[in-house]
Amino acid sequence: MSYLLRCLCLLGFCGIHRLYTGGLLLVGRRIDLFPVPGMVADLNRRVALDMRRVTEDR
């Protein structure tokens, strides 16, 4: 999903946070591609941990 959203950014549908830097000549967008898999994995771990806590509390 995050890669799909990134593709939409390339079409101009989002990326407002890059306006103040002029997009860093697209370098900023390319740099953003590298941490996305790690951020997704981290979020998945936190969600799994939260779900485990909820089931253990029952």
Side-chain angles (χ1 to χ4, degrees):
M1 184 59 140
S2 60
Y3 287 111
L4 175 65
L5 293 174
R6 176 61 58 189
C7 289
L8 291 175
C9 287
L10 295 174
L11 296 174
F13 290 105
C14 56
I16 301 301
H17 65 289
R18 295 281 184 213
L19 284 178
Y20 68 94
T21 62
L24 296 174
L25 301 174
L26 297 177
V27 173
R29 289 186 180 176
R30 290 184 186 127
I31 290 171
D32 284 347
L33 287 176
F34 293 106
V36 167
M39 291 187 301
V40 169
D42 183 47
L43 180 62
N44 287 339
R45 279 191 296 272
R46 286 190 284 157
V47 167
L49 181 61
D50 289 344
M51 291 300 290
R52 194 173 339 151
R53 287 180 184 162
V54 167
T55 57
E56 288 175 356
D57 288 342
R58 288 184 182 184

